[in-house]
Amino acid sequence: MCGRYVSTRSPQDLVQLFHVADWRPEEALAPNWNVAPTNEVWAVLERAPREQGHDAPVERELRPLRWGLVPSWAKDVKIGARMINARVETVHEKPAFRRAFIKRRCLLPADGFYEWQQAIDEATGKARKQPYFIHPEDGQVMALAGLYEYWRNPEIQPDDDPGAWLITCTIITTEATDAAGRVHPRMPLALTADHYDAWLDPHHQDPDDLRALLTQPAEGHLDTRPVSTAVNSVRNNGPQLVDELPA
């Protein structure tokens, strides 16, 4: 699974990296070295502007979405805390994800992600969980394959009320490869740049073609390093969380 990741690039950088046509400076998110479920996260997506109707040309947007997908049919947003990941093997079949897989796909920019491994504390002899930061060897941003969904809050009547709609997202995961596989059997699936356009295009709706885009994460070129257990608490943040522990 992927339960924490790092996203520190500025929106200005992301706009350039992903060739975004539309973003709103007032929605800017602060750099986050400990992104956790239900946090607001950057997402790159393509959709027709709401005010222009569904027949309008799609635009590539950079938007903050809430991490933890809430299906449109959900009765409560709390379900989102259990929907932070979607397995690539079944994402096209599961009721919570299959409609979004066909129509509402996104990219979630990340510097890297955290996974945990059971270890023995040498001082106490007790088992503990050792966090690792896993990231591309070349330091490039990871474009995590994601899905997004709209949820209508039934307690708010006017459709044009900003609080009437919640947009949430999930990260697609796959079997871990390379360095990540030595830490944890699953990992988030990152797309290569040549697949961005096809993945984001909402008119591209063939399930087999879409699944073919989901290949080896980061082309297998990942690095991993042990980091402080401070990352275990969502209250901790800052660049020190990704510093390598001394040998």
Side-chain angles (χ1 to χ4, degrees), residues 67-139:
W67 184 20
L69 189 139
V70 180
S72 59
W73 41 260
K75 299 189 184 309
D76 195 303
V77 297
K78 292 179 181 178
I79 193 175
R82 305 196 304 273
M83 300 284 185
I84 63 170
N85 292 159
R87 294 174 66 94
V88 68
E89 297 87 351
T90 57
V91 65
H92 60 300
E93 301 171 336
K94 294 292 185 181
F97 304 126
R98 62 191 179 198
R99 287 181 60 192
F101 181 70
I102 296 299
K103 296 184 177 181
R104 287 176 286 277
R105 299 175 300 275
C106 61
L107 297 172
L108 304 170
D111 302 336
F113 59 97
Y114 298 106
E115 286 295 358
W116 283 258
Q117 189 177 63
Q118 289 286 349
I120 301 297
D121 190 309
E122 294 182 0
T124 65
K126 295 182 179 179
R128 62 180 177 84
K129 285 189 174 183
Q130 172 60 52
Y132 289 80
F133 179 56
I134 303 168
H135 60 96
E137 290 175 345
D138 59 7

